[in-house]
Amino acid sequence: MTDRVRALVAAHRGDRGALLPILHRIQAEFGYVDQEVVPVLAAELNLSRADVHGVITFYTDFRSEPAGRVVVKLCRAEACQSVGAEQLVAHAEQALGIKLGQTTPDGSVTLEQVFCLGNCALGPAAQIDERVVGRLSPSRLDALLAAEARMA
């Protein structure tokens, strides 16, 4: 992994603000940003480890561990909240046995929160992998997750 990270840094070395594009490439390639690459990035980009760690932890799109096979992002913005998003979050946490930001022990589902999917008129909304769905109820969410499990 270290050699590949160095190659990604080399591809962006002359870029202004290279850290973000490099982190995006690492995440795209490996599925997460392993903490082992922090000192490599810091050394290669002449940044402190704290700076690199701060960027990784500030942006919620970066993961520090692999995601589940299915990633569920539940919208918690005001429009979705007004039509039941918080109840949907509570149901998902109970049904999956995890909290927001966690992955099920079997690695099947990662549950995350977002604060707008642009699907406000059809709330509560979620993004299941790359597909945005609206008008979710607990039973519809369960059915969609069951369908994902059958396809896996």
Side-chain angles (χ1 to χ4, degrees):
M1 179 184 281
T2 301
D3 289 339
R4 183 64 188 132
V5 168
R6 283 193 174 103
L8 291 172
V9 170
H12 291 276
R13 188 168 305 282
D15 298 351
R16 183 179 166 136
L19 181 59
L20 279 175
I22 292 167
L23 289 171
H24 281 290
R25 298 262 319 262
I26 291 169
Q27 175 121 338
E29 193 163 318
F30 298 106
Y32 69 108
V33 180
D34 193 312
Q35 290 302 304
E36 291 181 15
V37 305
V38 170
V40 176
L41 290 171
E44 292 289 323
L45 296 170
N46 196 30
L47 298 169
S48 73
R49 290 179 184 190
D51 286 338
V52 175
H53 176 77
V55 170
I56 294 167
T57 56
F58 178 79
Y59 292 102
T60 58
D61 282 344
F62 295 125
R63 305 179 197 293
S64 59
E65 55 190 44
R69 289 182 296 281
V70 175
V71 176
V72 177
K73 296 180 179 184
L74 298 175
C75 181
R76 297 184 71 199
E78 290 82 359
C80 285
Q81 281 184 30
S82 70
V83 291
E86 294 308 309
Q87 294 84 355
L88 190 63
V89 168
H91 171 78
E93 288 179 335
Q94 181 187 21
L96 295 169
I98 58 174
K99 297 289 183 192
L100 290 169
Q102 296 180 333
T103 300
T104 56
D106 66 358
S108 62
V109 178
T110 295
L111 186 62
E112 298 179 343
Q113 65 181 349
V114 293
F115 289 94
C116 192
L117 291 167
N119 202 26
C120 304
L122 300 176
Q127 182 175 330
I128 300 175
D129 284 335
E130 297 301 317
R131 184 175 147 225
V132 175
V133 292
R135 295 199 171 112
L136 281 176
S137 63
S139 61
R140 183 155 182 247
L141 179 62
D142 291 345
L144 290 168
L145 291 176
E148 289 287 335
R150 285 192 299 273
M151 289 191 295

